[in-house]
Amino acid sequence: MSTTSTTSTTAVARAPEARAASGSARAYLQYVAGKLGGAAISLLAVLVTSFFLFRIIPGDPVRAMTHGMPTSAEQMATLRRQFGLDKPMWQQFTDYCASALTGDLGMSYQFHAPVGDLIAQKVPATLLLTGVAVLVYSAIGLWLGTRSAWRHGSLGDRLNTGVALTLWSVPGFWLGLLLIITFSVGIGPVPGIFPTGGMESGNESGFAYVADVAHHMVLPVLTLVAVGYAQTLLVMRSSLLDEMGSDYLTTARAKGLRDDVVRRRHAVPNALLPTVTMVFINLGHVAAGSILVETVFSWPGLGGLFYQALSVPDLPLVQGLFVVFAGAMIIMNLLADLLYPLLDPRVGR
């Protein structure tokens, strides 16, 4: 009798906890569903935007492709019919959406190859360049931003903030050109020790090939890191400064915790939310690459391919790249939103 009573009491005591856990799980599922729905709508908007946005670019793709070649009016009409440019705009749009939703991004006008295959060929080079750059400048920015905020007002803080603000305002392509002039061409007593562009010399293999690619990566990675770390530092510094006066840090210090432990275990985790968003956005840039930096350094990635496509304009290739770039950003933002409740349980409730 006593055992049954004890079991019932325990079950009654645990019932509110079970209901709370069930309600929290339901709220999180609703939160996830809402974010997934928003991402799907955003992707649909990207499809619509990618079609109409590049239709307003001045220029005739057929005339651009046949520039300098004797072409009759009949041949021009045949090319327009071949590329579907003779169809009404609404029919071009419906054909484009139907193909894109099945993964078919069309055929490139200038390369005469499937857009998906062209993008797949360039992805490894872009992932290598921007992936390394994002990892490096995220780590440097988080570390320096944390130290600057924790010692705000010090000489180191003022120096870090000043350098970051300066680099953040510098256009990436301009900084890349300066690095090429200084360290590739050579200026004054500084010899040119790095390649002016490209990804490889073309005559290496094995470890020598890896070293050759790393040698070509130095200046473009340095350009991306110099511009990218500044944003990470400033966001992390601002976020941590907002947390510095919180009561929970005062309580942690009152418990006798060392200053380093207070910063690492209490302040930094709570200051990470804005920085996490920015890091995931930067990861989205890994897929998109840096169009201007890749163009300046003749890096054979998606950024350079986009520049080539835009100069024609090669509409299927431009549209396909735009969908890939925007889709990567949407997916990374979605992952950041799904990670928020794990960092801060208040999010999503």
Side-chain angles (χ1 to χ4, degrees), residues 62-85:
V62 174
R63 288 189 180 278
M65 286 184 292
T66 58
H67 180 68
M69 295 184 292
T71 309
S72 66
E74 291 77 11
Q75 290 173 320
M76 299 281 285
T78 301
L79 286 173
R80 286 194 174 88
R81 186 167 56 253
Q82 178 184 344
F83 295 136
L85 296 174

Side-chain angles (χ1 to χ4, degrees), residues 124-125 128 197-201 209 212-217 297-300:
L128 177 64
M199 181 177 173
E200 57 184 270
S201 300
Y209 172 77
D212 182 46
V213 172
H215 190 219
H216 282 75
M217 286 178 60
F297 288 97
S298 302
W299 189 262

Side-chain angles (χ1 to χ4, degrees), residues 246-269:
S246 300
D247 293 338
Y248 69 90
L249 294 183
T250 304
T251 303
R253 291 189 179 95
K255 291 180 179 179
L257 296 179
R258 290 185 295 110
D259 195 58
D260 181 61
V261 176
V262 173
R263 183 185 74 239
R264 190 176 64 253
R265 294 186 182 178
H266 298 276
V268 171

Side-chain angles (χ1 to χ4, degrees), residues 26-78:
R26 191 181 305 109
Y28 181 70
L29 289 177
Q30 292 174 349
Y31 173 79
V32 170
K35 293 300 180 182
L36 290 174
I41 294 173
S42 297
L43 286 172
L44 182 60
V46 165
L47 284 179
V48 176
T49 304
S50 66
F51 179 83
F52 290 104
L53 177 64
F54 299 108
R55 289 301 189 283
I56 64 176
I57 297 176
D60 184 345
V62 174
R63 288 189 180 278
M65 286 184 292
T66 58
H67 180 68
M69 295 184 292
T71 309
S72 66
E74 291 77 11
Q75 290 173 320
M76 299 281 285
T78 301

